[in-house]
């Protein structure tokens, strides 16, 4: 009876321990190699068979998850590559537009400044000539207006500096009374034609000299 019991116990232990040993070795191999393609044959006792079946289901779920992650990663890489191509195309278009704008501004700078300088030189020569006082004042107004217009044109042509934040004010000593007088001179003829008396009042305690960007201050007063 004892021999039969031992034989029965050995067979029972074999049915339980062998599948468990195989399951343990498989789990160790999966842990080392990250190989989720393995699968075990569910054999042995009912509890052991259920454990092996659960292990196979877990490995299958991990395998499906990895496949989904791989597909998602591939789709993401494709989307990133496509978006990168779009960004590069947009960048090339923007750079081409910037170069075209720079070329246009460079051309217009020469085409506009050349006749403006001719007008300024002519007005200054007239103002320095033997003209009646009234005509001399007109010539001086033309010269000053031309200089102001040329400064504005330079600002427009240098718009790229404004975009890049590189525009700097040219500060220097300025006479506020003189700037006001020159600004009024630009409009006195039109005011007189409209029957208006254009005048300015400067406070007595106003400084005679200030540090300012004369061209910008003239623009403000003119506007």
């Amino acid at each position: 009876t004892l021999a039969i019991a031992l034989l029965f116990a050995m067979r029972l232990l074999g049915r339980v321990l062998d599948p468990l040993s195989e399951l343990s070795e498989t789990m160790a191999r999966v842990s080392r190699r990250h190989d989720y393609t393995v699968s075990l044959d569910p054999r042995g006792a009912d509890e052991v068979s259920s454990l092996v079946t659960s292990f196979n289901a877990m490995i299958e779920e991990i395998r499906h998850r990895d496949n989904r992650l791989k597909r998602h990663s591939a789709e993401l890489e494709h989307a990133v590559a496509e978006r990168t191509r779009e960004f590069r195309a947009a960048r090339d278009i923007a750079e081409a537009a910037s170069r075209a704008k720079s070329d246009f501004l460079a051309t217009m700078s020469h085409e506009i400044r050349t006749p403006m300088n001719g007008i300024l030189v002519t007005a200054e020569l007239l103002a320095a000539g033997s003209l009646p006082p009234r005509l001399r004042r007109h010539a001086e107004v033309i010269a000053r207006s031309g200089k102001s217009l040329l400064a504005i044109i330079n600002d427009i042509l240098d718009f790229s500096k404004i975009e890049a934040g590189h525009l700097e004010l040219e500060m220097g000593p300025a006479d506020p009374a003189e700037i006001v007088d020159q600004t009024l001179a630009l409009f006195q003829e039109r005011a007189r034609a409209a029957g208006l008396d254009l005048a300015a009042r400067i406070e007595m305690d106003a400084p005679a000299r200030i540090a300012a960007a004369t061209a910008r201050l003239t623009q403000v007063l003119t506007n």
Side-chain angles (χ1 to χ4, degrees), residues 122-135:
T122 303
E124 290 172 354
L125 290 176
L126 288 174
S130 56
L131 292 175
R134 181 183 178 87
L135 295 180

Side-chain angles (χ1 to χ4, degrees), residues 134-155:
R134 181 183 178 87
L135 295 180
R136 182 178 293 107
R137 286 197 301 270
H138 291 342
E140 291 173 351
V141 170
I142 293 174
R144 288 194 298 267
S145 300
K147 290 180 180 179
S148 298
L149 180 59
L150 186 60
I152 295 173
I153 291 173
N154 290 335
D155 293 340

Side-chain angles (χ1 to χ4, degrees), residues 30 34 36 57-73:
V30 170
H34 302 285
Y36 301 104
M58 180 186 68
I59 292 296
E60 182 72 14
E61 180 62 27
I62 294 176
R63 184 162 56 246
H64 289 329
R65 183 205 60 184
D66 287 350
N67 291 335
R68 289 195 300 269
L69 288 175
K70 289 179 180 178
R71 288 195 301 270
H72 179 70
S73 177

Side-chain angles (χ1 to χ4, degrees), residues 62-223:
I62 294 176
R63 184 162 56 246
H64 289 329
R65 183 205 60 184
D66 287 350
N67 291 335
R68 289 195 300 269
L69 288 175
K70 289 179 180 178
R71 288 195 301 270
H72 179 70
S73 177
E75 293 173 356
L76 185 60
E77 289 179 359
H78 176 73
V80 170
E82 185 66 23
R83 187 60 59 86
T84 301
R85 284 193 294 269
E86 294 176 358
F87 285 159
R88 288 176 178 172
R91 180 201 61 190
D92 294 340
I93 293 174
E95 290 179 350
S98 179
R99 287 192 298 269
K101 182 183 71 174
S102 299
D103 295 341
F104 170 76
L105 292 178
T107 302
M108 292 303 296
S109 173
H110 175 74
E111 296 297 331
I112 294 177
R113 285 190 177 105
T114 299
M116 279 300 303
N117 287 324
I119 294 174
L120 286 176
V121 171
T122 303
E124 290 172 354
L125 290 176
L126 288 174
S130 56
L131 292 175
R134 181 183 178 87
L135 295 180
R136 182 178 293 107
R137 286 197 301 270
H138 291 342
E140 291 173 351
V141 170
I142 293 174
R144 288 194 298 267
S145 300
K147 290 180 180 179
S148 298
L149 180 59
L150 186 60
I152 295 173
I153 291 173
N154 290 335
D155 293 340
I156 295 174
L157 297 178
D158 292 337
F159 184 71
S160 58
K161 291 184 179 180
I162 299 177
E163 289 181 324
H166 295 157
L167 183 66
E168 296 181 359
L169 297 178
E170 296 181 0
M171 304 295 290
D175 184 354
E178 181 181 356
I179 294 175
V180 171
D181 183 66
Q182 292 176 357
T183 304
L184 292 181
L186 300 177
F187 301 97
Q188 282 179 346
E189 290 299 326
R190 278 188 285 175
R192 187 177 296 108
L196 300 176
D197 183 17
L198 184 61
R201 185 183 66 183
I202 300 178
E203 299 294 338
M204 295 297 296
D205 57 350
R209 288 285 176 179
I210 60 173
T214 304
R216 296 291 182 269
L217 185 54
T218 302
Q219 286 177 2
V220 173
L221 294 178
T222 301
N223 292 332

